[in-house]
Every structure is written in C-alpha cells, then in structure tokens.
Amino acid sequence: MRDEPTIIREPATFELITPDSAPVPVRVELSYSSRDPYAVQASFRTGQGSPVDWVFARDLLADGLLGPAGTGDVRVQPVAHEPTRIEVELASPSGHAVFTTCATTLAAFLDRTFELVPPATEYSWLDFDAALDQLLAPNAGEGARD
C-alpha cells in the first residue's frame, strides 16, 4: 500500500451511437486512482445536471482494445471496420447505450495507469486497514436488519 494516492485524469470524447441520427459527441472524463487500483471511472457529462459515472475494471478496458471483452452490463471491443475506434456498450435497468471512442486516446490513458500501478501489483496498493475501518464504522450497518 502506498501512503498518498495518485489520480490520473484524461478528457475524452465518446460518441453516442443512435439508430436514426448522426453520432452525438459526449464529453467524458476518464479517471484512475491508485487507491482503487483495479478500476477506471468514466464520468459522462450529458449537459445539465450531474455527470453519469460508470466504473469499469481496468483490465476489461485493456482487453477490449484487442478484442471483444465483458459480459452483462459493460462490453468493450474494437469497432469492426474501424480499428482506430473502440465500442463501449453500457446497459442498466434505466437504459442501454452504445458509444465509440478513439482507441489511441483510451490506450494512452491506460498506459499511464499501468505505468503508475503495473499489472499484477494492484494488490499491494490496496489499503485494507482503511477498508476495514469503513466497514466497521458506526453507520456502516445502517439500514441492515437482523
């Protein structure tokens, strides 16, 4: 575990793919924290209101640069006839969306995260004491019933 977390942020543009109109550009901020070394967060700025945040496994995004990856709510893969583009498909109870983004931008961001926390070293960056403190905090069990 390291004492001070390092955060990497990268702006990106994802294009929302719709069946009946041209792709719609969406501003996205990709972020990675050494405090949560297995995850990447994407904050979708959709206009008014708060951003919509999705958290992905870092390895899922990396695998999706090379071929189809993911099952369920998140799927990532290269666009079939555009090797410079990556498709990100998101599904939730409130909807479904398909985006494309620049493979080079995503790869550069992931490279920076792997330089900070190399693959297979994520475990050493976890702060188990802080996680345990959070679980044992007085309000942690609020809402739970015996």
Side-chain angles (χ1 to χ4, degrees):
M1 200 250 5
R2 309 299 194 261
D3 291 332
E4 291 296 319
T6 300
I7 298 173
I8 297 171
R9 287 189 169 81
E10 180 76 31
T13 300
F14 282 39
E15 292 184 333
L16 176 63
I17 305 302
T18 59
D20 299 329
S21 61
V24 177
V26 178
R27 291 179 309 140
V28 176
E29 181 181 76
L30 300 170
S31 61
Y32 177 81
S33 172
S34 61
R35 178 92 54 203
D36 189 2
Y38 291 102
V40 168
Q41 180 172 311
S43 296
F44 292 80
R45 314 269 183 220
T46 58
Q48 296 111 359
S50 300
V52 177
D53 295 329
W54 279 76
V55 177
F56 308 99
R58 179 172 71 160
D59 288 345
L60 170 70
L61 291 177
D63 292 347
L65 287 171
L66 304 174
T71 58
D73 294 348
V74 179
R75 296 173 191 217
V76 182
Q77 65 183 350
V79 173
H81 301 291
E82 288 186 74
T84 62
R85 306 289 297 167
I86 297 297
E87 180 180 283
V88 178
E89 182 178 355
L90 307 174
S92 74
S94 62
H96 175 265
V98 177
F99 297 89
T100 63
T101 192
C102 176
T104 304
T105 300
L106 184 57
F109 169 75
L110 288 171
D111 285 347
R112 290 175 56 206
T113 74
F114 286 122
E115 287 172 10
L116 176 64
V117 178
T121 68
E122 294 94 347
Y123 184 83
S124 67
W125 287 78
L126 296 174
D127 186 345
F128 290 104
D129 291 333
L132 186 58
D133 287 345
Q134 186 176 5
L135 284 173
L136 298 176
N139 296 331
E142 246 177 47
R145 304 274 181 220
D146 289 320

